[in-house]
Amino acid sequence: MSTNAAGISIRGVTKRYGSTIALNGVDLDVRPGEVLGIAGPNGAGKSTLIRVIAGEERSDGGELTFDGVPWSPTVDWHAVAVVHQEPQLFPNLTVAQNVMVGREGTSAARPSLSAADARVMDALGIGHLRDRQLADCSLATQQRTEIARAVARDSRVFLFDEPNSALTAAESDELFREMHKIAATGRIVLLVTHRLGDLVEHCKRVAIVRDGRVRAVLEGEALTEDGLARQLVTDSGGAHGHAGARNAAATQAGPELFSARGWTHAKAFRGISMDGKAGEIIALVGVEGSGSRELLRSFAGLERCTGTISIGGMSGEAALRRQTAYVPATRLLSLYSNFSVGENLLVRLGYPEIAGFGLALKRRRMREMARAAVSRFLVKTRTTTQEIRSLSGGNQQKVAIAQALHCGPKLLLLEEPTRGVDIHSKAEIYRLLRDYADEGNTVIIFCTEVLEVYEAADRVHVVAGGTLSPSLQVAEYGHVEQLATDITRLEQEGRSEARAA
Amino acid sequence: MSSSDTTQPPPGHGISAVGKATLDAALRVGGLFAAVIAVALVFVFINPNFANPNLAVSVLRAMSSVAIMAMGLTLVIVVGEIDLSFGAMYGLAANTLAVVWIAMGVSVYLAIPIAIGVGILVGLFNGFLVTSFKIPSFIVTLGSYNLLYGLSLWISNTGTFNPNYPPPGGVVDQGELNFFIGLTQNIGKYSLSIEIFWMLGIAVVVGFLLHRSLFGFRLMAIGGNPEAGKLARLPVKRYKILAFILCSVLASIAGILDFSFIQTSQPDIGLSQTFPVFAAVIIGGASLAGGKGTIIGTLGGALLLAELQIGLALLSPGPHVQQIFLGAVTIGAVALDLFLTKLRKSRTA
């Protein structure tokens, strides 16, 4: 009884968004003094669970208890501190002011730094920076400030959400040392990360969230990178077309469609050579700050680069402008909330597709095109005149992709095309991409999940330290774990090469 | 009428400027014109003499220059920017025309294009600073408001001009004078000013631009999500600059037409129009956040304001009542709009 009562107990917690079930009865115990890892594929409910624990979202059902007492994080939000990937602080205030913020209390006077605050900041190694404006501090310092604020507030639960994705190796070691110190004081610590190595190294137990539930909790012997990788992958029955056979066919078939030589960006990468054949889907993998996102965006002409490039018989600026279309990672950057579904589908088109003489819109044609697009791109919507917001996340994502496909790019560029998308839509999106490649185009996807590489791509390049690895043929892998291992190896090689150079 | 479980799109609903947004706009415009009628009925109830076509005509005349400027402002607001300088532009256009034509003796047929050309330059200036230097449009146009007013004071030498009484040494050709006055002269039994027809003609053109052309479609898109527009490589900068140019040009036209009607220019004319024009656009349902707004709504807003202004001027003991009503109606219209939107959303969700 005593072991069960201490810490947070989550029982049967559910959460739905419209028709989508994000959490479907989560059971989880978090004990004080341990570091509990949480892992799961994107869109599996992991981030919803975190938001519920952090009090940013109210659960629909189930119950939470803290030390045996019913607990509502939305009310008791002070108890939970989240250390974000991107610190959510006030960049215009100093480090010390950020630590004190929210503690103005009832007096009109500005709060002053207490001795206890100073001790906390010193312990975290940011004491000497206290009067520095936060905007001028490194990301590592900003995260420490976030931790200091939480410690000073006496938060009892610390939630580290992908905390080291943009830190150097040394900085993240430091961060994890602080994390363990916090756990040692008997506080509750949760670590959410995509990096399996970190989970194995730093967590006592790791909960795997899949399809809105905690599917497994690994600990002790069972807690290995391999074991985690397998848990993350073995799920979601049906959605898995490892596209082996089609891959093989595609690699033989297509003529060269895309090539970049000496492709160099002022900050993110240099001297990259890359090719693509018609019919190919190529994945780019790389951690935040590796240059992979910038590389993808540069092919869309959104980053200024030097080098030579040719796409579908055109070269230079013209090729980037006329032959490519880019789909950003978040739908906030591709959909127009003031537009209907149909308008969103057609918004990238212009003269002569949807407008004729005098730039008058061809309204009947637009209606027909919108209806055709809805059925071709498998968008589930009652009408084309519905508000875009009324669609589910997966269907919104299909609209975002369809928008770009309508331009008929020879080179389609997508950033995390299935982020926050349900399994069914995911499979449909992969099918759409495959069909589009089969029509004689090249598709490049920036992925953060190995599973996505495995399910969707023919080849994968790893970007690390601003250079591009040789590609791996996905069809040669019988298991996603092997692919994950090789990608990790290429990542490490790339980073050490970059350091040597 | 339309039930919530239809599988086919209701007939007559296209997809451009369309869908749910059209329905919203239609309700909004319907409500607005119902308010216009209700206010008219109240006035007639208070004083039966108000039921008189001449009064209706003067309301239309009074709204026309406000409406012309408001349509230009609607374009800028739809694309997600703001223009505070159109009132000063109205004055600068009238003063430019006055100086070039009456004082410098250039033909009116050339002086009018020059005054409109100044509008194009000002729009270009505003748009360029906003898009290329990324200065917020509020600040740019606050600056150009003062700048343009300064220019008006300078070129007019703080003087007033009237083409019927040219300054010593100046000569105004009678034919040119007739043409100029003819731009807005009253015609017909109810002495309908031609300025009303200018307003209607401009409404047709701008309405086409905003609601039936690729230009307007993209303007709405850019206003709704400028970042997405940029990533999708829509011509964001060019369209924003064009919106500023159209706004300044329409303000110039309004200034020239009012000059023709009043026949007197002063350096500070137009400045006091700034906020009533904003009020018309906001009452008409445009959102300062961008991506939302209609020409018919803006016309309705201008009409409601003109109606209140004239009705209250005839009834009230003082100008304070008009101002208080203007304030109340502006806030009330937006508050009502937000309330009804929320109500509908909570019903459909």
Side-chain angles (χ1 to χ4, degrees), chain B residues 228-241:
Chain B
K230 211 158 52 184
L231 292 175
R233 292 195 296 248
L234 296 182
V236 175
K237 280 189 182 182
R238 187 151 39 101
Y239 274 51
K240 283 192 171 175
I241 293 176

Side-chain angles (χ1 to χ4, degrees), chain B residues 109-186:
Chain B
Y109 307 114
L110 191 58
I112 289 177
I114 288 174
I116 291 174
V118 171
I120 294 176
L121 287 178
V122 168
L124 205 59
F125 174 81
N126 285 341
F128 183 71
L129 287 181
V130 168
T131 57
S132 294
F133 289 87
K134 311 267 182 278
I135 309 173
S137 52
F138 185 93
I139 292 164
V140 168
T141 58
L142 180 64
S144 48
Y145 168 92
N146 288 304
L147 206 115
L148 301 186
Y149 176 41
L151 285 177
S152 289
L153 285 168
W154 187 30
I155 61 168
S156 67
N157 207 6
T158 72
T160 60
F161 290 87
N162 186 322
N164 298 300
Y165 310 103
V171 184
V172 169
D173 179 84
Q174 192 58 41
E176 290 183 19
L177 182 61
N178 289 342
F179 162 79
F180 183 62
I181 292 171
L183 287 176
T184 54
Q185 95 195 126
N186 295 337

Side-chain angles (χ1 to χ4, degrees), chain A residues 400-418:
Chain A
I401 294 173
Q403 225 184 53
L405 290 183
H406 256 146
C407 308
K410 297 307 286 177
L411 180 64
L412 178 66
L413 305 155
L414 305 105
E415 233 176 84
E416 304 178 62
T418 62

